[in-house]
Amino acid sequence: MLTGDSENAAHKIANDLGITKYRSQVLPEDKAIIIQELKDEGHQVIMVGDGINDSPALSAADVSVAMRNSSDIAREVADISLLSDDLYDLVTLRKLSVGMLDKINTNYRQM
């Protein structure tokens, strides 16, 4: 998790969500650089953001998600816009996506 929030806030959020690796007080331009470095290492990266400052990182990610109350530019850059501000909706999104791909693959093999 990359966040511009303070160490205390980042630690609490990471702990609440079960995230084991995080960086706090990350500047917007550094988020995009870190995401590109992760991609260069072969990782697939999802970025969730809500502000103008998140736009460079959203555009650098493999998949980007804007939350409900995101800035206009964040929603424009993002691949997906959630209709809520609940991060747990990402779990639902993942389950739906996997189910949809499974259905597509099953139907494709039957042709």
Side-chain angles (χ1 to χ4, degrees):
M1 178 178 79
L2 302 174
T3 181
D5 292 338
S6 70
E7 172 62 25
N8 289 340
H11 179 76
K12 180 179 180 348
I13 292 167
N15 190 49
D16 289 351
L17 295 175
I19 296 171
T20 57
K21 293 183 181 181
Y22 70 90
R23 289 179 57 182
S24 61
Q25 298 178 332
V26 180
L27 297 172
E29 58 272 16
D30 293 337
K31 288 179 188 177
I33 292 168
I34 293 166
I35 287 172
Q36 189 58 54
E37 288 171 353
L38 289 168
K39 288 175 61 177
D40 291 345
E41 293 171 5
H43 298 283
Q44 291 183 337
V45 180
I46 183 171
M47 171 65 186
V48 180
D50 62 0
I52 293 170
N53 292 339
D54 292 324
S55 297
L58 287 167
S59 64
D62 292 303
V63 176
S64 54
V65 179
M67 304 305 285
R68 179 182 60 160
N69 292 323
S70 297
S71 68
D72 291 341
I73 188 72
R75 282 194 309 269
E76 183 68 28
V77 170
D79 298 309
I80 300 166
S81 290
L82 292 181
L83 299 177
S84 81
D85 286 325
D86 186 350
L87 289 174
Y88 288 106
D89 285 346
L90 292 171
V91 175
T92 303
L93 175 64
R94 171 80 172 142
K95 288 178 181 178
L96 289 171
S97 299
V98 168
M100 180 187 69
L101 286 174
D102 287 346
K103 186 71 166 173
I104 290 169
N105 288 328
T106 299
N107 289 342
Y108 181 73
R109 285 189 206 118
Q110 291 177 358
M111 295 178 92

